Amino acid sequence: MAAPILEMKHITKIFPGVKALDGVSFDLRAGEIHAIVGENGAGKSTFIKVLTGVHQPDGGEIILDGKPLVMANPNIAIQHGIAAIYQHAASYPDMSVAENIFIGHEFRTGPFISWVKARKEAQKLLDSIGANFSPNASVGALSVAQQQMVEIAKALSQNARILIMDEPTAALSKKESEELYSIARSLRDKGVAIILISHRFEDIFGLADRCTVFRDAHYIGTWDIDEVDESLLVHHMVGHVIEHYYPERTPHPGDEVLRVEKLSRTGYFRDVSFSLRAGEIVGLTGLVGAGRTEVVEALCGVTGFDSGKVIVEGREQKYKDPKDSMAGGIGLLPEDRQKQGLLLPWSISKNITLPIIDKCTRARLFMSGKAEKTISNKEKEQLAIKAPDVETAAGTLSGGNQQKVVIAKQLAASSRIIILDEPTKGVDIGSKAAIYELMAELAAQGVAILMISSEMPEVMNMSDRIYVMSEGHVTKEFTDVKNLTQQQILEAAMPQERTA
Amino acid sequence: MKRDISEKTRQKDSFSLLSYVIEHREIPLLGVLAVLLAGVSIAVPGYFTGNYMNILKNCSMNLVLASGMLCVLLIGSIDISVAAVLELAAAIAGVLMRDGKIHTMIGMFAVGIGVGALIGFINGSIMSFGRVLPIIVTLGMTYLARALIPMDFILGMNKIARIDLTEYFKEFILHEYLGIPVIVYIAGAVAILMGLFLRYTRVGRSIYATGSNEEAARMRGVKVKWIKVLAHVICGALAGMAGIMRLGYYNAIEKGAANGQEMYVIAACVLGGVSVMGGYGKITGVVIGALMIATIDSAIPQLFMNATMMKEFFKGILILAAILLNVLMQRAANKRNLKGRDI
Amino acid sequence: MKAKKALSRFLRWETMLIVLLVVLWLVFDAKDASLQAARIAKGRRATDIFNFTNMLNGMGPYLLYSFMALGMSLILGMGDIDISVGAIAALSASVMGTVYGPFKKAMSPGLALALALLCCVMTGAACGFLNGFLVTRFRELFPMIITLGTQLFYRGFCYLLLGGDTLQYKDDAAWAGLKKLYSGSVSIGGLSVPTMLIWFLLLALMFFVFLHLTTGGRRLFAIGTNRVTARYSGIRVDSFELCMFVICGVTAALSSMFYVGSVSATVRADAMTGYEMYAIAVAVLGGFSTGGGKGNIVGVVLSVIIFGVMKKGLGTVFGLPDSTVNLAVGLVLIASSVLPNLLEDLSNWRRVRRQHAEAKLS
């Protein structure tokens, strides 16, 4: 067994009010792919940032090639051959591909950067990973998957010895993921050590040699990949066994409450049609960037659409503002709960009552704290939001509880149609189960639910029907969900399928 | 299979065409400038031939200021204190020359640039380390600088006038070599150096990176806070330099002399396609923007019969309209790009 | 817990303002006392220039920008800024002055003045509407750049109306009545209180009720905290913001009415230059951060008083020139926005250190 090239011992990192890492240890050997798994908030991202010098640890040491190293800033990490591909494409949208790839280690003649050489080398790198766009293209004009390719090329251009991949396949199609796998494998065979962070078990079992689990800022353990299976990993990640993950339910679809016909918005989606019945849970899936969010934002009046029809409860509507769609009984749970769903510094109670402030008043004008408290306490109880009281600031809650607060907003507004955009993204497994339970309950009460999700198991287990989108079009509708395979959905979601 | 390949190449072509337009957003601006000049020339016969040197002279100071503003806008900040800094730097240098402490041209520029850089440093530091919004800091600095000018140790209740300056200094700024005044050479040199700095040096790239995606830049090892300070130092230094240029041009300075100049500087940048959100902007655009402002400025008196009161009014309206029009054009271009997305 | 902490921080800011006020007061009072002692030593009669009655009587000029500061608080609370309030005030005054003459020829002076005042307010509202319209339609440009541009435009409009002339209404009976209404004083419990202070406090009370007790205030702070979330939560952000800009324009017009009515009875195109700076400084010192989402009208009222005391104290007691006072205003503006951030850094640092200590113990 080769000696580890990187050891991290008892790393501790403290942020005001939170311990993000508590004595975490980790080791990495040359020529291995080492997966780190854990739930959101387990400390994976902070750990990576400590390793790349973005954060300085409050305790513990980093040992590289047997020598202790003080990672005072990101440049030291770069000099030692540590490169990272970050989860949220960390690119510069206003710059060209070549500029993005070589930023920070440009080719220079004298003090000046040589852009000719940069462009040539960028082309070579792009060819080597099978990317088909020009190094002169502006990164902002590329798709999410292409931006991820730019990130990969950027990491490769640094000739890294240690490569960190943080959720690299989240935005990639299966084919692109395969390409990424083969790049990762060939790098490993050349002796590069790779740290892989992913919540996709396919990635972990298809690629990794070893696997380390973090939970609640603690180190749980490291295993060879043959020693563990999926259920064991989940057990380690969550810390307890979860039964009845998806609730049992028998759907009783009622009348059609929402019908979308040939909805188009130039540049985003075209001819999108689907329908939704009361008491039904419908899944809308596809790859990130397929246009799912854009469709629901258009129909709810956040952006608007160019042509097509939206028919709500039998009447054609063209909402100009989310306020209108809310009045029409549609609740939208936006994709990014921190930026679109919540006012983080505000209390749970003020967040929940924001859509219905007109109802929490005396004489229809003055805010009534009492009415607010009654409503929000009721919602807090119903959704089992874990917080000392409703005066707790939303920003201090965990991801799962934050999501429950956003859902509570829709419920308080007593919506008859609820659109959930990635309802379990970044939510711990316990809260996930609670959210599924709630969805089932609402559907049983006759609420129509449209769920946008990229997580295949969730889509397949929760939906009564499934629509698949790809590149701005609805490519397929599945009505027989019971006998569906993941492969069928993925095929419909692949961009290539449409042209071939 | 064959179709797959053709699909790929087509995609490649459309991308390079798209990227070309995106990379050279300044090309349409040049067209607008040409139309503007042509329009005025037709309306006022003999306008262009008699005025092009005036346009260049008028835009020199604005261009130097706008080059600095470009740095600041690129990091997503703004500096509205440039006009006040210009006055302060010119006043201090002017007082020193009046009192016989400086005689040389280099000395004057050194003092002006030094004063400006110092104020820029203070601005940038308060923003970076005190986490105060740029508007507040530079608004406060505007008043601080204008309050300092009438202090006894600077100008007191006086002004700097012709007699306070040396003959050489008065003559130098407008002295012509090869038929072009020095002031234009200075502005040209500043613009070229700024262009080289931003495109071909690592620090210049860091400025773009910070404005484009601050978080990513920090993770990539860019010292974001210091880059911000640096951008403000550059902006301040160039404002100070413009102060000396102004002193040489008008041979006079007093408190409030350049009042409102900051708007024309920002307007030159915005018209030149610089994004006020940071991350995008080129010196070529700024040059064109400054030329546009100078053209508008010199054309108004000719078009509206030199009514000074009218001039301010129309200048305000035209610049506001030009900025808004620029945004509308940008939106139209974006919409066209979306149509080309093939969805 | 956190909300309570936020509340206590809120209170702390207002407490800090009170402490600052007391300190300033004591310093000026002490200096004043020593000045008088010096006069008495020289055998002259003591003239107490800095005391409560004097301060109250002389509050008038310091209250002019306070109306604007109330409007500015709304704008800052939403995370926007309006640089054009000074120019709006000048334009409103110009319109009022320009229309009064022709009106007077057509009707009785009292009615003419009332109509002129109405025109003044309408002008402010129209300017605010234009600002709000452009701000909500041109989000790419930020309120800062837009209002910087409209400021030039409004100021240019003043020159177009008035040229370089100065309109004077010193001998006009109707204007004298206006002056009495605005700058007179009322006797309350033996103290003569400037009417303008009463007007201001009434307006401040209205703003307080709106911002802190009604749904409108909740909406406003929601927009300031996170505009996107506010929109997703069913707030019509654009139209609400537009309304607030209109209100801000109206407060600027009110300022100009008091300016013309009480201070000078003259109208010039370059009047009230730089008032926007005072308005912003007062609001920021009052606790409205430019980031938006927080602030309290009580703080603004306190900060109006602090500015008054500071200007009076520096000007009359210490005898410093006007530019020094401006210097102090600029410094206060910057300091009052840096200070909360530094305090927060400090408390975070101490918190991390405490956690360290706890970690070591365990």
Side-chain angles (χ1 to χ4, degrees):
Chain A
M1 188 125 306
I5 58 167
L6 172 77
E7 275 183 279
M8 298 180 70
K9 286 184 180 161
H10 312 297
I11 300 287
T12 297
K13 175 72 197 171
I14 296 172
F15 291 120
V18 211
K19 216 178 218 182
L21 290 174
D22 193 351
V24 168
S25 299
F26 177 78
D27 71 282
L28 186 68
R29 300 175 198 139
E32 75 160 347
I33 298 177
H34 192 151
I36 299 178
V37 295
E39 293 208 84
N40 285 78
K44 294 171 297 179
S45 296
T46 313
F47 179 75
I48 293 310
K49 283 183 177 163
V50 167
L51 175 56
T52 51
V54 177
H55 292 323
Q56 279 64 55
D58 295 300
E61 56 180 344
I62 301 172
I63 298 166
L64 193 69
D65 298 324
K67 280 173 234 142
L69 183 66
V70 179
M71 207 67 87
N73 63 54
N75 287 325
I76 294 178
I78 294 165
Q79 280 157 20
H80 285 87
I82 301 174
I85 301 168
Y86 286 105
Q87 180 179 1
H88 307 287
S91 48
Y92 308 103
D94 308 294
M95 294 191 198
S96 76
V97 171
E99 287 172 320
N100 260 283
I101 291 176
F102 290 106
I103 190 144
H105 56 283
E106 296 91 349
F107 298 106
R108 289 195 287 190
T109 39
F112 293 115
I113 298 167
S114 162
W115 287 115
V116 181
K117 187 160 184 216
R119 236 166 266 146
K120 224 182 271 166
E121 292 298 316
Q123 186 69 61
K124 269 190 217 159
L125 278 168
L126 291 177
D127 288 344
S128 77
I129 56 172
N132 63 353
F133 43 87
S134 150
N136 295 327
S138 167
V139 167
L142 299 180
S143 71
V144 183
Q146 287 169 326
Q147 290 186 8
Q148 195 72 45
M149 308 281 267
V150 174
E151 285 299 297
I152 293 163
K154 192 198 274 184
L156 292 180
S157 74
Q158 295 173 33
N159 294 322
R161 292 194 302 151
I162 297 173
L163 180 62
I164 301 155
M165 298 171 131
D166 192 356
E167 302 277 4
T169 57
L172 300 190
S173 69
K174 197 159 177 80
K175 189 162 159 263
E176 287 161 329
S177 297
E178 287 297 341
E179 235 157 68
L180 182 73
Y181 288 176
S182 67
I183 294 167
R185 287 198 192 97
S186 76
L187 284 173
R188 173 186 61 186
D189 296 341
K190 282 182 203 151
V192 176
I194 296 175
I195 299 174
L196 173 74
I197 293 178
S198 181
H199 69 272
R200 279 199 194 175
F201 287 115
E202 309 106 85
D203 289 357
I204 296 161
F205 289 101
L207 211 52
D209 301 311
R210 284 197 299 162
C211 178
T212 292
V213 177
F214 289 176
R215 184 173 72 224
D216 293 336
H218 288 273
Y219 171 80
I220 300 301
T222 302
W223 295 270
D224 278 338
I225 206 72
D226 326 328
E227 295 172 1
V228 285
D229 60 10
E230 203 173 312
S231 64
L232 194 61
L233 273 187
V234 170
H235 180 88
H236 286 308
M237 282 161 66
V238 185
H240 54 92
V241 184
I242 290 195
E243 292 167 64
H244 306 301
Y245 197 51
Y246 298 104
E248 286 291 325
R249 50 185 284 270
T250 35
H252 299 287
D255 298 335
E256 187 179 86
V257 287
L258 174 70
R259 176 171 197 83
V260 171
E261 283 174 14
K262 295 209 164 260
L263 206 65
S264 301
R265 184 168 177 234
T266 314
Y268 294 98
F269 52 84
R270 178 174 295 165
D271 292 343
V272 171
S273 304
F274 59 86
S275 68
L276 189 62
R277 289 164 179 279
E280 197 181 29
I281 299 179
V282 171
L284 180 60
T285 187
L287 300 175
V288 173
R292 303 164 302 174
T293 302
E294 288 78 0
V295 169
V296 295
E297 283 186 345
L299 86 87
C300 289
V302 179
T303 49
F305 47 88
D306 298 329
S307 66
K309 272 189 198 167
V310 173
I311 299 157
V312 180
E313 289 168 345
R315 242 184 266 154
E316 190 178 340
Q317 304 280 7
K318 186 157 187 176
Y319 299 122
K320 292 243 162 58
D321 199 277
K323 169 104 179 164
D324 303 326
S325 57
M326 272 179 155
I330 302 181
L332 170 62
L333 178 117
E335 188 180 14
D336 187 334
R337 67 173 162 269
Q338 303 217 339
K339 288 189 184 136
Q340 302 168 322
L342 289 173
L343 299 171
L344 294 174
W346 284 25
S347 68
I348 295 175
S349 137
K350 278 163 118 188
N351 264 297
I352 291 180
T353 54
L354 190 60
I356 48 157
I357 30 178
D358 285 326
K359 284 185 199 149
C360 308
T361 49
R362 268 171 304 178
R364 301 185 56 83
L365 191 63
F366 299 104
M367 293 304 304
S368 153
K370 213 169 163 190
E372 279 186 86
K373 216 160 217 172
T374 322
I375 292 176
S376 46
N377 266 325
K378 197 185 110 210
E379 296 296 342
K380 178 175 177 271
E381 216 132 284
Q382 194 193 339
L383 293 178
I385 298 170
K386 272 185 214 132
D389 55 31
V390 287
E391 296 306 318
T392 313
T396 59
L397 301 177
S398 74
N401 282 308
Q402 286 186 352
Q403 193 71 315
K404 285 183 189 168
V405 174
V406 189
I407 295 175
K409 281 170 72 173
Q410 321 306 334
L411 297 185
S414 51
S415 315
R416 294 181 300 282
I417 301 168
I418 292 187
I419 301 175
L420 304 166
D421 197 345
E422 301 282 4
T424 59
K425 192 169 137 195
V427 163
D428 59 285
I429 290 181
S431 302
K432 247 184 199 176
I435 290 172
Y436 295 146
E437 190 67 43
L438 182 75
M439 283 167 66
E441 215 172 282
L442 286 171
Q445 289 166 17
V447 174
I449 297 178
L450 178 68
M451 175 181 69
I452 298 179
S453 174
S454 311
E455 292 211 21
M456 288 304 146
E458 172 177 299
V459 173
M460 291 169 63
N461 284 297
M462 288 304 296
S463 315
D464 303 332
R465 280 185 298 132
I466 296 171
Y467 291 96
V468 184
M469 279 189 79
S470 171
E471 296 194 312
H473 297 259
V474 170
T475 46
K476 198 107 185 188
E477 179 190 351
F478 295 103
T479 44
D480 184 15
V481 179
K482 290 245 153 53
N483 302 312
L484 198 60
T485 63
Q486 204 156 327
Q487 192 57 36
Q488 281 173 292
I489 297 180
L490 280 173
E491 261 167 32
M494 287 306 142
Q496 277 82 3
E497 299 303 311
R498 189 168 56 89
T499 47
Chain B
M1 197 57 214
K2 216 172 190 178
R3 208 170 65 191
D4 195 17
I5 290 167
S6 70
E7 172 87 15
K8 253 189 179 171
T9 45
R10 195 186 58 73
Q11 211 178 7
K12 211 164 184 171
D13 282 347
S14 77
F15 263 124
S16 57
L17 194 71
L18 190 73
S19 68
Y20 188 80
V21 174
I22 286 177
E23 241 191 313
H24 299 272
R25 264 191 240 175
E26 289 72 27
I27 289 174
L29 289 174
L30 205 58
V32 175
L33 177 63
V35 169
L36 190 67
L37 273 175
V40 179
S41 300
I42 291 165
V44 185
Y47 163 79
F48 184 68
T49 44
N51 271 296
Y52 72 95
M53 196 49 75
N54 270 339
I55 295 176
L56 285 181
K57 271 196 267 182
N58 281 340
C59 94
S60 307
M61 277 174 286
N62 212 17
L63 179 56
V64 170
L65 287 165
S67 304
M69 189 66 80
L70 170 64
C71 283
V72 172
L73 290 177
L74 279 179
I75 57 159
S77 176
I78 199 165
D79 186 346
I80 56 171
S81 69
V82 282
V85 172
L86 176 156
E87 290 165 20
L88 181 63
I92 290 176
V95 167
L96 288 174
M97 183 170 258
R98 182 191 68 192
D99 298 346
K101 294 199 177 94
I102 308 181
H103 307 282
T104 60
M105 185 59 55
I106 292 174
M108 289 295 275
F109 274 105
V111 169
I113 292 172
V115 169
L118 178 68
I119 295 182
F121 180 77
I122 296 170
N123 276 341
S125 304
I126 294 175
M127 282 171 217
S128 273
F129 303 107
R131 288 183 286 124
V132 184
L133 290 180
I135 306 167
I136 291 296
V137 178
T138 55
L139 190 67
M141 191 52 79
T142 304
Y143 282 79
L144 284 180
R146 292 233 165 90
L148 280 173
I149 295 171
M151 294 277 172
D152 286 336
F153 56 90
I154 301 180
L155 264 183
M157 289 294 117
N158 309 313
K159 298 174 185 175
I160 292 295
R162 294 192 76 87
I163 51 161
D164 298 324
L165 304 170
T166 61
E167 285 306 314
Y168 174 67
F169 180 73
K170 277 186 278 191
E171 199 260 351
F172 178 75
I173 291 283
L174 290 177
H175 186 82
E176 292 185 5
Y177 293 98
L178 305 172
I180 300 172
V182 168
I183 192 170
V184 178
Y185 283 113
I186 296 177
V190 166
I192 290 168
L193 285 176
M194 182 59 72
L196 289 175
F197 165 71
L198 287 176
R199 176 127 183 91
Y200 289 103
T201 68
R202 205 166 267 184
V203 178
R205 298 320 292 173
S206 300
I207 288 181
Y208 278 99
T210 304
S212 193
N213 189 338
E214 190 176 326
E215 185 62 28
R218 191 173 18 250
M219 292 200 289
R220 197 63 190 75
V222 175
K223 292 192 174 67
V224 172
K225 288 190 169 179
W226 287 106
I227 288 292
K228 286 184 176 177
V229 174
L230 177 77
H232 279 277
V233 168
I234 293 173
C235 182
L238 288 176
M241 187 170 171
I244 306 300
M245 288 163 74
R246 191 191 162 94
L247 192 59
Y249 189 89
Y250 292 110
N251 295 325
I253 196 79
E254 62 180 308
K255 178 192 158 194
N259 204 356
Q261 180 84 32
E262 67 273 9
M263 189 55 212
Y264 302 125
V265 176
I266 294 168
C269 289
V270 174
L271 288 180
V274 180
S275 157
V276 287
M277 318 240 201
Y280 185 83
K282 288 198 173 146
I283 193 72
T284 41
V286 173
V287 172
I288 295 169
L291 283 171
M292 278 190 205
I293 301 269
T295 310
I296 292 174
D297 200 24
S298 72
I300 288 171
Q302 315 251 359
L303 289 172
F304 301 104
M305 297 301 160
N306 68 28
T308 32
M309 295 305 166
M310 297 284 268
K311 186 179 158 181
E312 286 304 308
F313 178 63
F314 281 105
K315 204 171 165 184
I317 273 197
L318 274 177
I319 288 171
L320 193 60
I323 289 176
L324 297 181
L325 199 68
N326 193 39
V327 174
L328 291 177
M329 270 163 45
Q330 201 77 56
R331 280 187 198 168
N334 286 347
K335 208 160 191 183
R336 238 195 340 270
N337 281 349
L338 282 179
K339 270 193 186 140
R341 249 203 219 173
D342 190 33
I343 286 178
Chain C
M1 250 327 255
K2 190 92 179 186
K4 266 181 201 152
K5 247 179 209 161
L7 187 77
S8 72
R9 174 172 298 170
F10 230 77
L11 288 176
R12 214 156 62 206
W13 185 250
E14 268 86 64
T15 337
M16 262 174 67
L17 289 181
I18 292 174
V19 171
L20 178 64
L21 181 59
V22 170
V23 168
L24 280 175
W25 191 278
L26 290 178
V27 168
F28 292 140
D29 215 27
K31 175 75 182 172
D32 189 28
S34 77
L35 281 180
Q36 284 170 57
R39 287 175 75 94
I40 290 166
K42 278 184 190 160
R44 274 185 283 175
R45 204 162 55 86
T47 44
D48 188 5
I49 41 178
F50 190 84
N51 58 35
F52 184 69
T53 334
N54 272 357
M55 194 60 232
L56 196 63
N57 280 329
M59 200 65 193
Y62 313 120
L63 284 169
L64 286 171
Y65 44 79
S66 63
F67 295 96
M68 280 180 195
L70 289 176
M72 188 64 77
S73 303
L74 299 184
I75 304 294
L76 290 179
M78 293 189 303
D80 292 335
I81 200 161
D82 188 345
I83 309 270
S84 69
V85 282
I88 292 180
L91 182 56
S92 311
S94 305
V95 169
M96 173 166 66
T98 319
V99 298
Y100 176 65
F103 279 175
K104 205 170 93 172
K105 282 186 193 125
M107 57 194 92
S108 74
L111 195 60
L113 187 63
L115 274 181
L117 289 178
L118 187 67
C119 285
C120 172
V121 173
M122 296 292 282
T123 311
C127 291
F129 183 84
L130 182 64
N131 280 344
F133 179 80
L134 294 178
V135 163
T136 49
R137 290 304 134 88
F138 292 88
R139 293 269 184 209
E140 297 97 322
L141 283 174
F142 300 141
M144 146 98 222
I145 290 177
I146 285 171
T147 52
L148 208 56
T150 53
Q151 174 206 28
L152 277 185
F153 169 58
Y154 300 146
R155 198 59 85 171
F157 218 127
C158 293
Y159 280 106
L160 200 64
L161 281 175
L162 298 180
D165 301 342
T166 305
L167 297 178
Q168 293 224 357
Y169 294 99
K170 279 195 174 125
D171 313 324
D172 194 296
W175 284 65
L178 186 69
K179 188 168 168 148
K180 207 169 173 190
L181 184 63
Y182 287 161
S183 64
S185 45
V186 206
S187 173
I188 297 174
L191 281 170
S192 79
V193 181
T195 26
M196 214 195 294
L197 184 63
I198 294 166
W199 287 110
F200 168 68
L201 289 177
L202 274 177
L203 196 66
L205 185 68
M206 278 166 61
F207 273 71
F208 179 84
V209 170
F210 172 72
L211 259 186
H212 303 296
L213 299 179
T214 70
T215 53
R218 182 63 68 82
R219 289 198 174 91
L220 187 138
F221 285 126
I223 291 174
T225 309
N226 184 338
R227 195 166 263 108
V228 180
T229 300
R231 181 144 189 263
Y232 275 96
S233 306
I235 295 171
R236 290 186 205 279
V237 174
D238 282 358
S239 42
F240 188 87
E241 231 174 315
L242 184 65
C243 288
M244 294 305 116
F245 270 96
V246 171
I247 293 178
C248 182
V250 169
T251 59
L254 286 179
S255 280
S256 80
M257 266 158 56
F258 282 90
Y259 176 82
V260 176
S262 73
V263 175
S264 56
T266 55
V267 182
R268 285 172 53 87
D270 60 352
M272 307 184 89
T273 308
Y275 269 52
E276 66 275 6
M277 160 74 176
Y278 289 120
I280 294 170
V282 166
V284 170
L285 180 66
F288 281 84
S289 81
T290 40
K294 53 183 174 190
N296 193 316
I297 291 293
V298 176
V300 176
V301 173
L302 280 173
S303 102
V304 164
I305 299 171
I306 289 175
F307 266 73
V309 169
M310 197 172 73
K311 288 193 108 177
K312 176 127 184 158
L314 289 176
T316 57
V317 180
F318 282 87
L320 292 170
D322 216 31
S323 60
T324 324
V325 180
N326 278 342
L327 200 72
V329 171
L331 282 175
V332 165
L333 174 62
I334 292 177
S336 59
S337 27
V338 174
L339 207 62
N341 293 341
L342 292 185
L343 285 178
E344 197 187 316
D345 283 352
L346 188 73
S347 84
N348 273 346
W349 179 75
R350 277 174 43 187
R351 209 156 146 203
V352 167
R353 223 178 47 160
R354 205 170 51 233
Q355 282 169 307
H356 262 283
E358 278 164 15
K360 277 216 181 91
L361 276 179
S362 66

mmCIF file with all atom_site columns, all heavy atoms in Angstrom, chain B residues 27 77 81 103 265:
data_model
loop_
_atom_site.group_PDB
_atom_site.id
_atom_site.type_symbol
_atom_site.label_atom_id
_atom_site.label_alt_id
_atom_site.label_comp_id
_atom_site.label_asym_id
_atom_site.label_entity_id
_atom_site.label_seq_id
_atom_site.pdbx_PDB_ins_code
_atom_site.Cartn_x
_atom_site.Cartn_y
_atom_site.Cartn_z
_atom_site.occupancy
_atom_site.B_iso_or_equiv
_atom_site.pdbx_formal_charge
_atom_site.auth_seq_id
_atom_site.auth_comp_id
_atom_site.auth_asym_id
_atom_site.auth_atom_id
_atom_site.pdbx_PDB_model_num
ATOM 1  N N   . ILE B 1 27  ? -18.009 47.564 -31.443 1.00 0.00 ? 27  ILE B N   1
ATOM 2  C CA  . ILE B 1 27  ? -18.106 47.874 -32.877 1.00 0.00 ? 27  ILE B CA  1
ATOM 3  C C   . ILE B 1 27  ? -19.375 48.666 -33.215 1.00 0.00 ? 27  ILE B C   1
ATOM 4  O O   . ILE B 1 27  ? -19.308 49.712 -33.855 1.00 0.00 ? 27  ILE B O   1
ATOM 5  C CB  . ILE B 1 27  ? -17.996 46.589 -33.729 1.00 0.00 ? 27  ILE B CB  1
ATOM 6  C CG1 . ILE B 1 27  ? -16.553 46.103 -33.654 1.00 0.00 ? 27  ILE B CG1 1
ATOM 7  C CG2 . ILE B 1 27  ? -18.393 46.848 -35.167 1.00 0.00 ? 27  ILE B CG2 1
ATOM 8  C CD1 . ILE B 1 27  ? -16.318 44.773 -34.312 1.00 0.00 ? 27  ILE B CD1 1
ATOM 9  N N   . SER B 1 77  ? -17.795 48.394 -8.362  1.00 0.00 ? 77  SER B N   1
ATOM 10 C CA  . SER B 1 77  ? -17.912 49.499 -7.416  1.00 0.00 ? 77  SER B CA  1
ATOM 11 C C   . SER B 1 77  ? -18.220 50.766 -8.209  1.00 0.00 ? 77  SER B C   1
ATOM 12 O O   . SER B 1 77  ? -18.479 50.716 -9.407  1.00 0.00 ? 77  SER B O   1
ATOM 13 C CB  . SER B 1 77  ? -16.590 49.619 -6.656  1.00 0.00 ? 77  SER B CB  1
ATOM 14 O OG  . SER B 1 77  ? -16.604 50.713 -5.796  1.00 0.00 ? 77  SER B OG  1
ATOM 15 N N   . SER B 1 81  ? -16.740 60.490 -6.278  1.00 0.00 ? 81  SER B N   1
ATOM 16 C CA  . SER B 1 81  ? -15.962 61.584 -5.707  1.00 0.00 ? 81  SER B CA  1
ATOM 17 C C   . SER B 1 81  ? -14.901 62.100 -6.672  1.00 0.00 ? 81  SER B C   1
ATOM 18 O O   . SER B 1 81  ? -14.133 62.989 -6.328  1.00 0.00 ? 81  SER B O   1
ATOM 19 C CB  . SER B 1 81  ? -15.298 61.137 -4.400  1.00 0.00 ? 81  SER B CB  1
ATOM 20 O OG  . SER B 1 81  ? -14.301 60.188 -4.650  1.00 0.00 ? 81  SER B OG  1
ATOM 21 N N   . HIS B 1 103 ? 8.116   73.945 -9.136  1.00 0.00 ? 103 HIS B N   1
ATOM 22 C CA  . HIS B 1 103 ? 8.297   74.705 -10.369 1.00 0.00 ? 103 HIS B CA  1
ATOM 23 C C   . HIS B 1 103 ? 8.128   73.819 -11.580 1.00 0.00 ? 103 HIS B C   1
ATOM 24 O O   . HIS B 1 103 ? 7.837   74.278 -12.666 1.00 0.00 ? 103 HIS B O   1
ATOM 25 C CB  . HIS B 1 103 ? 9.688   75.338 -10.400 1.00 0.00 ? 103 HIS B CB  1
ATOM 26 C CG  . HIS B 1 103 ? 9.970   76.137 -9.168  1.00 0.00 ? 103 HIS B CG  1
ATOM 27 N ND1 . HIS B 1 103 ? 9.456   77.395 -8.981  1.00 0.00 ? 103 HIS B ND1 1
ATOM 28 C CD2 . HIS B 1 103 ? 10.680  75.850 -8.059  1.00 0.00 ? 103 HIS B CD2 1
ATOM 29 C CE1 . HIS B 1 103 ? 9.833   77.852 -7.806  1.00 0.00 ? 103 HIS B CE1 1
ATOM 30 N NE2 . HIS B 1 103 ? 10.578  76.923 -7.217  1.00 0.00 ? 103 HIS B NE2 1
ATOM 31 N N   . VAL B 1 265 ? -18.367 61.432 -16.521 1.00 0.00 ? 265 VAL B N   1
ATOM 32 C CA  . VAL B 1 265 ? -17.392 60.346 -16.508 1.00 0.00 ? 265 VAL B CA  1
ATOM 33 C C   . VAL B 1 265 ? -18.118 58.999 -16.513 1.00 0.00 ? 265 VAL B C   1
ATOM 34 O O   . VAL B 1 265 ? -17.817 58.114 -17.324 1.00 0.00 ? 265 VAL B O   1
ATOM 35 C CB  . VAL B 1 265 ? -16.479 60.463 -15.272 1.00 0.00 ? 265 VAL B CB  1
ATOM 36 C CG1 . VAL B 1 265 ? -15.540 59.282 -15.200 1.00 0.00 ? 265 VAL B CG1 1
ATOM 37 C CG2 . VAL B 1 265 ? -15.708 61.757 -15.307 1.00 0.00 ? 265 VAL B CG2 1
#
